[in-house]
Amino acid sequence: MGVQAMEALSEKAAFMRESLEKSQNITDSMVSILGSFDHRLSALETAMRPTQIRTHSMRRAHENIDKTLKSAENVLNLIDNARQAEAIIKKGPHEDLEGYLEAIAQLRKIIKRFTGNKNLKTSIEVISSVTNTLARATMQLDDEFKQLLAQYSKPLEPDRLFDCLPQSLRPTAASPAQDAGGKKQSEQQNKSQEAVVYRIPTLIPPRIIPLLHELAHQMFSAGHQQELFSIYSETRSASMEQSLKKLGVEPLGREDVQKMPWEALEAKIGNWIHFMRIAVKLLFAGEKQVCDQIFEGLESLRDQCFADVCGDSVSMLLCFGEAIARSKRSPEKLFVLLDMYEIMREILPEFNEILGSKHCNEMREAAKNLTKRLAQTAQDTFGDFEEAVEKDATKTAVLDGTVHPLTSYVINYVKFLFDYQSTLKQLFQEFGGGDPEAQLTSVTTRIMTALQNNLDGKSKQYKDPALTQLFMMNNTHYIVRSVRRSDAKDFLGDDWVQIHRRIVQQFANQYKRISWSKILSCLSVGGSGGSFTGDPPSSSNRFKTFNIQFEELHQRQSQWTVPDSELRESLRLAVAEVLLPAYRSFIKRFGPPIKNGKNPQKYIRFTPEDLERMLAEFFEGKTMGEQKR
């Protein structure tokens, strides 16, 4: 039975030897192996011939035959598998990438099996042959990974990114910048009405991710870590930078910012705020997702690749923010600085989470430093504004006593500041500690005081003391009315409002006293109006004096302005309430002699109704030409 088995094995070995001679790569190795098997079989055959062999020896010989048969069969199967894998490798990865990857895995198994059979003479030769095939295969994998990644790493169009934003943050025009005031209001409204949801964009089709994942692992296993890192980083970083460029991001530094007109710079800052949201919440988040999936199980390389992909884009975005934060301070920059500070505070937690590995330490530190610098610059700009209000020395003349441009500018500035209440409180808390609400109240009060002190100095420019009072009345009234209609009232308080309303009334009373005391004295029984000395003037002289004084007041004060209609009417009424009764009494007492004399209209030029009509023309800001018409 043993002899028949050995003859059958010899025939099988001879057949296999003939088949193996057709293999191009490992024929020599296999012939050597089978020659070894032939030698073993011959020895066994010789050993079995003597009839004196004991039963024990026969059993051991039979076991050796079985082992040799199994070993030969395993080797032949491995050789057959190697030939099949080699054929797939020769076709390249394009036709059937999944089959190609399976062939590589098969070759690795064959190497491992032969490595465990070092007692076979030809194991080293087999391993060398398969290893060479495997090396060529992995080189082709590098190219396939590069080509596949490049094919599906197209930059995203802006519209696709905008579609991933919450509805309230999508741009309504060609430019993503939005009107600052409108933005604040719309965001506050939408925060209460709409859940702010960002949809992470699909950067690479999901069906391609598993292939890239497998290719990355094969390259890593082949020791091509550096090639893998270079290909991924270069391809994906270029895609991200192109996406940002299409969006409108520009590499602007400090010199570029300094040369730019304020209007253009303000628009770019508005865009930058929009870009920061899109970059962090969409592009960086999407890239992190892709990187995690492709490099799953290769955490160290994953973190290095992601850091390298984002590095230049992060640097370009933060560089512009730094340039603004370090640029020359001016009051109008405060609001954009606060906008920039707001967006950095909004995105910083997510930024730190997405770029959380040790390889992103510098980027996280740069973002943190920019946030602090923006806060510091905003704080300094705030201080500059308070000082500028106090020391404003513009010679802008307000000839008609109306509200000064400085007043409207400062009040609008303060009202706008209160759109940033939460940001300002955060700012105060970050730098000073203490109660941020009390600090905001203190700052607002100081700005108001600085404005009033400056206006007091400007009011001294008027030669007419009555116009000084009217100017202070107009400006203080404008301040009080604006405060009452804004959030500033909650910080300054009702007491502040009531005190300053009384101050407005005091200025109005002072105006009346200075402007009208002389003419009212003229109308009194014993008064002379200051035009005569010695004996009391005659009736005709009294009327002459009144006419001259009233016409001069009418001509001058019709050119003055009280812009608030309610205040203007109340001031006219206050004058009328004292002037008209006094004039009626004056006519009643001193008019009869004039009326009974010659040319009474020469002296009694105005009826009480005329005065009332003419008072209605006071404070209208009319020019001399308009009055004559």
Side-chain angles (χ1 to χ4, degrees):
M1 177 112 177
V3 173
Q4 289 175 351
M6 284 186 288
E7 287 176 352
L9 180 58
S10 295
E11 289 175 6
K12 188 173 182 181
F15 173 76
M16 287 184 171
R17 187 186 303 111
E18 183 181 349
S19 299
L20 288 168
E21 284 173 356
K22 296 176 184 179
S23 172
Q24 295 179 354
N25 294 320
I26 39 182
T27 300
D28 293 339
S29 300
M30 294 303 105
V31 169
S32 176
I33 291 170
L34 292 172
S36 173
F37 289 156
D38 280 348
H39 177 73
R40 293 184 192 182
L41 290 169
S42 297
L44 287 170
E45 187 176 3
T46 302
M48 291 292 289
R49 282 186 187 136
T51 55
Q52 69 270 26
I53 293 176
R54 296 174 185 163
T55 303
H56 177 68
S57 298
M58 287 292 292
R59 191 183 302 117
R60 287 187 63 187
H62 186 69
E63 288 173 359
N64 285 338
I65 291 169
D66 286 342
K67 286 180 182 179
T68 303
L69 283 170
K70 287 179 182 177
S71 178
E73 191 173 356
N74 288 338
V75 169
L76 293 171
N77 286 336
L78 287 174
I79 292 168
D80 191 45
N81 291 341
R83 288 171 57 202
Q84 292 174 14
E86 185 182 45
I88 294 172
I89 296 299
K90 281 182 179 178
K91 290 180 183 178
H94 297 299
E95 289 185 19
D96 179 12
L97 179 57
E98 291 183 16
Y100 191 87
L101 294 172
E102 287 175 9
I104 289 176
Q106 187 65 40
L107 289 178
R108 288 207 172 99
K109 286 180 184 176
I110 290 169
I111 290 175
K112 188 176 180 182
R113 291 289 295 276
F114 273 104
T115 303
N117 288 309
K118 288 182 181 178
N119 57 319
L120 295 175
K121 295 182 194 177
T122 55
S123 290
I124 295 174
E125 295 172 8
V126 174
I127 291 169
S128 176
S129 176
V130 175
T131 300
N132 289 335
T133 303
L134 193 58
R136 289 195 303 273
T138 50
M139 287 296 289
Q140 288 180 312
L141 281 186
D142 291 4
D143 293 336
E144 183 67 15
F145 182 78
K146 184 175 183 178
Q147 184 179 336
L148 193 62
L149 188 66
Q151 183 180 349
Y152 292 99
S153 290
K154 305 300 181 188
L156 292 184
E157 294 298 325
D159 286 347
R160 276 194 62 197
L161 289 168
F162 297 154
D163 287 344
C164 295
L165 292 169
Q167 189 66 43
S168 60
L169 294 176
R170 294 177 192 176
T172 54
S175 170
Q178 296 171 314
D179 173 71
K183 175 183 77 67
K184 296 298 297 179
Q185 292 172 359
S186 67
E187 283 188 12
Q188 287 170 356
Q189 290 169 358
N190 284 304
K191 276 178 185 176
S192 59
Q193 296 174 3
E194 177 199 347
V196 179
V197 178
Y198 294 82
R199 291 187 300 104
I200 297 177
T202 302
L203 302 183
I204 293 179
R207 63 187 175 82
I208 303 300
I209 295 289
L211 294 176
L212 291 170
H213 168 76
E214 185 60 33
L215 285 168
H217 273 261
Q218 293 288 356
M219 290 172 69
F220 188 89
S221 299
H224 294 194
Q225 292 95 328
Q226 188 57 47
E227 291 85 348
L228 179 57
F229 172 80
S230 298
I231 292 168
Y232 187 87
S233 298
E234 289 171 14
T235 305
R236 293 305 302 163
S237 61
S239 173
M240 181 178 288
E241 287 170 37
Q242 282 298 310
S243 294
L244 289 172
K245 187 176 179 181
K246 281 176 173 283
L247 197 61
V249 177
E250 302 171 84
L252 297 172
R254 195 171 180 182
E255 288 185 7
D256 302 307
V257 164
Q258 287 173 342
K259 295 174 187 174
M260 208 173 291
W262 168 241
E263 292 76 15
L265 188 60
E266 188 176 24
K268 288 194 181 297
I269 291 169
N271 287 345
W272 179 85
I273 289 165
H274 208 59
F275 297 155
M276 287 302 293
R277 275 200 188 94
I278 289 173
V280 175
K281 294 177 178 288
L282 302 182
L283 284 175
F284 295 166
E287 190 61 47
K288 181 72 162 61
Q289 198 173 74
V290 165
C291 203
D292 285 352
Q293 291 170 338
I294 291 175
F295 292 99
E296 184 183 2
L298 306 173
E299 279 69 23
S300 176
L301 187 59
R302 174 199 67 189
D303 293 342
Q304 289 178 53
C305 284
F306 181 68
D308 207 63
V309 167
C310 296
D312 287 345
S313 294
V314 169
S315 177
M316 182 166 57
L317 288 163
L318 297 186
C319 184
F320 177 78
E322 281 286 343
I324 298 297
R326 292 174 180 270
S327 64
K328 185 179 179 182
R329 297 197 302 266
S330 60
E332 67 270 13
K333 285 184 182 175
L334 177 60
F335 301 111
V336 295
L337 286 166
L338 291 174
D339 284 334
M340 292 171 76
Y341 174 66
E342 272 188 357
I343 192 63
M344 288 306 297
R345 281 193 61 242
E346 178 188 325
I347 66 168
L348 206 54
E350 204 165 345
F351 185 94
N352 290 337
E353 182 181 350
I354 294 170
L355 293 102
S357 77
K358 64 179 181 181
H359 301 283
C360 298
N361 284 347
E362 286 186 15
M363 287 181 265
R364 290 198 305 277
E365 195 64 24
K368 178 183 173 185
N369 289 340
L370 173 58
T371 308
K372 285 185 176 179
R373 192 175 299 282
L374 287 167
Q376 183 64 63
T377 307
Q379 180 92 336
D380 294 341
T381 304
F382 209 171
D384 292 346
F385 177 71
E386 186 183 330
E387 186 178 346
V389 171
E390 180 82 54
K391 296 181 178 178
D392 176 75
T394 53
K395 299 298 182 183
T396 306
V398 184
L399 299 177
D400 59 357
T402 190
V403 175
H404 196 279
L406 177 68
T407 304
S408 55
Y409 175 75
V410 171
I411 291 301
N412 286 335
Y413 199 92
V414 169
K415 285 163 69 176
F416 206 12
L417 275 176
F418 279 93
D419 284 339
Y420 292 85
Q421 280 185 55
S422 60
T423 307
L424 288 169
K425 289 175 185 176
Q426 179 68 33
L427 208 64
F428 295 139
Q429 206 162 22
E430 191 166 322
F431 282 94
D435 182 1
E437 192 156 323
Q439 285 180 281
L440 186 54
T441 299
S442 174
V443 168
T444 308
T445 305
R446 291 201 308 269
I447 290 174
M448 292 298 184
T449 303
L451 174 60
Q452 288 168 300
N453 290 341
N454 190 289
L455 291 170
D456 188 57
K458 283 179 167 50
S459 73
K460 303 297 192 293
Q461 297 173 3
Y462 296 108
K463 293 179 181 178
D464 189 329
L467 187 54
T468 294
Q469 301 301 315
L470 194 80
F471 172 80
M472 291 303 294
M473 178 197 74
N474 278 331
N475 282 271
T476 308
H477 179 267
Y478 180 85
I479 293 169
V480 172
R481 187 189 63 179
S482 299
V483 167
R484 286 177 63 197
R485 295 176 179 178
S486 75
D487 291 341
K489 181 186 176 185
D490 297 333
F491 290 85
L492 294 172
D494 287 330
D495 288 347
W496 188 94
V497 171
Q498 292 305 321
I499 288 168
H500 285 79
R501 288 182 73 178
R502 287 196 291 272
I503 291 172
V504 171
Q505 190 58 51
Q506 287 168 13
F507 285 130
N509 293 339
Q510 286 287 80
Y511 155 78
K512 286 189 296 181
R513 184 185 63 77
I514 294 169
S515 279
W516 297 95
S517 59
K518 192 175 180 181
I519 201 169
L520 289 172
S521 174
C522 173
L523 294 175
S524 67
V525 174
S528 64
S531 300
F532 304 95
T533 57
D535 296 332
S538 64
S539 295
S540 58
N541 282 336
R542 284 178 181 274
F543 275 99
K544 278 183 182 180
T545 302
F546 173 80
N547 293 338
I548 291 169
Q549 290 181 354
F550 184 76
E551 284 178 339
E552 190 273 332
L553 278 175
H554 175 262
Q555 180 179 330
R556 188 153 34 93
Q557 297 197 21
S558 294
Q559 298 175 54
W560 295 358
T561 302
V562 176
D564 183 81
S565 59
E566 192 176 322
L567 181 61
R568 183 171 62 245
E569 196 54 44
S570 69
L571 196 59
R572 289 171 179 166
L573 186 61
V575 172
E577 283 177 347
V578 293
L579 178 65
L580 296 181
Y583 187 64
R584 288 191 180 97
S585 297
F586 178 72
I587 291 176
K588 188 175 181 180
R589 183 172 181 82
F590 298 107
I594 303 295
K595 290 177 183 177
N596 295 328
K598 293 180 180 180
N599 300 320
Q601 66 276 9
K602 179 181 177 181
Y603 300 102
I604 306 177
R605 295 181 59 185
F606 306 108
T607 65
E609 290 72 30
D610 291 332
L611 293 187
E612 190 171 10
R613 176 182 55 78
M614 292 174 76
L615 279 176
E617 296 175 346
F618 277 50
F619 319 126
E620 290 285 352
K622 293 181 178 179
T623 63
M624 290 291 288
E626 287 176 320
Q627 290 181 50
K628 287 177 182 177
R629 286 198 299 272

